[in-house]
Amino acid sequence: MPSQPGDGRLYIDGAFVPAASGRTGVVEEKATGKPIGSYALGSAADIDRAVAAARAAQPAWGALSAPERAGYLRAFCGYLEAHREELVEQSMRETGGVRAKAEDEVGTSIKQLALSAVQVGENAGDILPPYKAGKLSLSRAVPLGVLGLITPWNYPMNLAMRALAPGLAFGNTVVLKPAELTPVIGGQVLAAAADHAGLPPGVFNVVTGDGPDAGWPLARHQGLDMLDFTGSREVGLAIDRAAAGELRDIRLELGGSNAFVVLDDADIEVAANCAMIASLEFQGQTCISASRHIVQRAVADDYLDALTRRAAALTVGDPFDPGTALGPLISAAQRDRVHRTIVEPSLAMGARLVTGGTYDGLFYRPTVLAGVTPQMPAFREEIFGPVIPVTVVDTEAEAVALTNGLPMLMNSVFTRDLVRGLSVAEQLQAGEVHVNDAHARHGAENQMPGFTRRQWIGLQRTPLNFPDWATAPATQES
Ligand code: NAD
């Protein structure tokens, strides 16, 4: 391997190089705080070089035949497959996620590459109905050109891969700026894999660095044909405003405040099991985490009890310990945001702490808050931490109205009556709604095509397969 991931270099024009600034940052294992590598602190000069390399490489890459590009993708995929176990452990160290989360992240990335290698060999266009007799109308897919990708730290590898793999497959070249908290698993290992696969220089470039110094110059770069950004609403809004003034093409995948609706005829044990995954998987740090639980009064006490029994029994600790359900939060800043701007102010406004609400370093106890009202930050904000706020309503109509009041990506509704579930799902304004389930659609095979707004309704058809940690209703309180 020409470069060891974690050795603090950028990947530009097929070469592993230091940042123009000569500066590097430290990569830490989140559970221990130990240094496990370094990353180059890229800046506008490095972004300029990377975009220029991608521009120069694009015509030849786009001109390759589909089977030729698919061959490169298969080699890229083969490298990741051969290093799967190392990559899983790297993800666990760098993100603080447990093994199942890391396996999902790496496995989905590998699958995405394999799928894109197949998709590029399929139908490349359409014959359209002619607008007039005697005409023949054909459309074909052509590359956009140079893509810029800016990605977050929570699922760093597959959130890069979901745009990188189809982007490369269809003849685009790419400049990736991964999150500074996860630059190895989110960028450097992908550079090593692409290099090993023999991708032509400039086809894929990785510039690590922080948001303002490396991300912003990429977001604003006039040499891109499209910017794909996944991250917070705040940064997304800034990018949107800047792009609007310059007529640049961007695609934003942001966060929201997703709702988990428990109706008065729900199977409470199923809902509570599902809530553990929906709100606590990867410490609640996913864009599709359930951020507010809206529960009808008739079942509220039973639901709160079922949630609390489960949450209080979960083990928080080293993600490498197989008994651990929740690892550390990603950073002290993230912990302080959860505790000081969400939990403490909500308690001060009258919410009741049922369990949790304490932490040791980055290890935050799963927390259940009762009596949460729509005015509280625990209801209004995207939490991005292991907190379950419960809001009680009297009617189904109230649950629908409250859910629809905030931006969201994905909701769930729980009821024993599937027709009622579908009817409520249709009224909830989110890209994705689940009935008696959560997170069901998230695999490489189900990635939403980028340019449609579609509501997806997931029905739980087979018995839910929860990990043990989510299902054991325990008796001890921590
Ligand atoms: P973030 O916006 O702080 O950072 C995301 C990326 O943007 C990082 O690479 C960062 O370096 C970069 N960045 C930061 N400031 C920038 C700037 N001024 N200009 C350009 N780039 C900049 O978000 P985060 O904390 O890494 O991720 C959490 C957020 O991401 C949550 O809101 C979550 O909901 C969202 N998210 C959304 C999806 C989705 O698919 N919709 C998936 C995962 C995460």
Side-chain angles (χ1 to χ4, degrees):
M1 197 158 53
S3 169
Q4 283 303 321
D7 73 355
R9 287 189 279 165
L10 311 173
Y11 185 59
I12 298 177
D13 207 12
F16 292 92
V17 293
S21 68
R23 293 166 55 228
T24 56
V26 176
V27 184
E28 286 181 355
E29 176 171 11
K30 303 305 178 289
T32 61
K34 284 188 193 142
I36 52 170
S38 68
Y39 67 102
L41 285 166
S43 60
D46 304 298
I47 293 289
D48 281 346
R49 288 178 47 226
V51 173
R55 277 240 82 82
Q58 198 280 323
W61 178 250
L64 290 180
S65 69
E68 283 171 314
R69 283 198 302 272
Y72 283 111
L73 262 60
R74 282 196 300 274
F76 195 149
C77 185
Y79 177 93
L80 296 184
E81 185 65 81
H83 293 79
R84 188 188 275 252
E85 179 54 24
E86 289 160 50
L87 296 173
V88 166
E89 292 188 6
Q90 180 68 33
S91 170
M92 292 169 74
R93 290 200 172 85
E94 231 176 320
T95 70
V98 297
R99 174 166 285 278
K101 180 265 182 193
E103 285 176 348
D104 181 41
E105 181 185 347
V106 174
T108 301
S109 304
I110 291 172
K111 206 188 279 179
Q112 179 69 64
L113 268 168
L115 282 172
S116 293
V118 172
Q119 281 166 342
V120 71
E122 291 173 349
N123 188 356
D126 297 301
I127 300 176
L128 305 170
Y131 80 100
K132 212 186 241 187
K135 306 270 183 193
L136 178 62
S137 294
L138 309 176
S139 82
R140 68 187 176 102
V142 293
L144 284 166
V146 178
L147 308 181
L149 310 184
I150 300 179
T151 49
W153 45 259
N154 57 347
Y155 285 76
M157 185 186 263
N158 69 292
L159 293 179
M161 193 59 87
R162 70 179 175 184
L164 175 63
L168 292 178
F170 288 93
N172 304 282
T173 55
V174 175
V175 178
L176 167 67
K177 205 301 280 173
E180 53 274 49
L181 287 164
T182 51
V184 180
I185 193 70
Q188 293 177 9
V189 297
L190 299 176
D195 194 71
H196 191 269
L199 260 71
V203 166
F204 176 47
N205 307 273
V206 177
V207 179
T208 50
D210 66 23
D213 287 343
W216 190 243
L218 181 60
R220 303 288 308 272
H221 209 287
Q222 299 293 334
L224 298 183
D225 293 291
M226 186 187 216
L227 176 80
D228 184 290
F229 171 85
T230 305
S232 61
R233 295 183 79 80
E234 296 72 32
V235 177
L237 267 173
I239 290 175
D240 188 43
R241 286 196 195 101
E246 296 164 356
L247 290 178
R248 278 184 295 101
D249 204 358
I250 58 171
R251 179 169 180 273
L252 304 174
E253 287 280 356
L254 310 176
S257 180
N258 308 305
F260 192 95
V261 177
V262 182
L263 297 176
D264 53 10
D265 62 347
D267 182 326
I268 294 304
E269 298 301 318
V270 167
N273 284 342
C274 201
M276 296 298 107
I277 309 291
S279 285
L280 302 181
E281 187 174 40
F282 189 42
Q283 296 77 266
Q285 302 171 117
T286 77
C287 60
I288 51 176
S289 291
S291 218
R292 339 172 244 154
H293 292 236
I294 298 173
V295 185
Q296 273 193 275
R297 193 173 305 279
V299 290
D301 288 347
D302 289 348
Y303 182 61
L304 202 57
D305 180 57
L307 279 182
T308 307
R309 275 186 283 120
R310 287 167 174 78
L314 297 178
T315 305
V316 182
D318 184 350
F320 281 88
D321 180 338
T324 294
L326 279 77
L329 294 184
I330 194 76
S331 66
Q334 185 65 15
R335 178 205 61 209
D336 290 347
R337 204 190 65 78
V338 170
H339 195 65
R340 296 200 186 135
T341 71
I342 308 257
V343 174
E344 285 185 341
S346 299
L347 293 175
M349 289 171 77
R352 184 165 58 87
L353 182 63
V354 186
T355 186
T358 57
Y359 59 85
D360 178 6
L362 300 185
F363 297 93
Y364 202 95
R365 288 285 323 154
T367 297
V368 177
L369 299 178
V372 172
T373 63
Q375 293 73 34
M376 295 179 186
F379 186 93
R380 304 201 68 74
E381 304 294 328
E382 180 183 31
I383 296 178
F384 238 58
V387 179
I388 305 180
V390 179
T391 302
V392 177
V393 293
D394 286 307
T395 64
E396 181 185 301
E398 236 183 300
V400 170
L402 265 189
T403 299
N404 285 341
L406 291 173
M408 55 220 161
L409 279 70
M410 185 175 92
N411 297 319
S412 293
V413 53
F414 285 79
T415 165
R416 284 195 169 88
D417 178 346
L418 277 186
V419 174
R420 185 183 185 196
L422 283 173
S423 148
V424 172
E426 277 179 19
Q427 299 170 62
L428 299 184
Q429 294 161 2
E432 190 173 331
V433 185
H434 294 288
V435 179
N436 296 337
D437 204 350
H439 299 200
R441 192 188 55 82
H442 283 265
E445 20 335 52
N446 288 320
Q447 297 291 0
M448 192 97 82
F451 309 100
T452 58
R453 188 179 182 291
R454 221 192 302 177
Q455 193 177 47
W456 194 91
I457 299 179
L459 269 181
Q460 199 282 111
R461 291 178 55 235
T462 50
L464 292 170
N465 183 17
F466 294 111
D468 292 345
W469 64 260
T471 52
T475 48
Q476 88 263 25
E477 188 78 27
S478 65

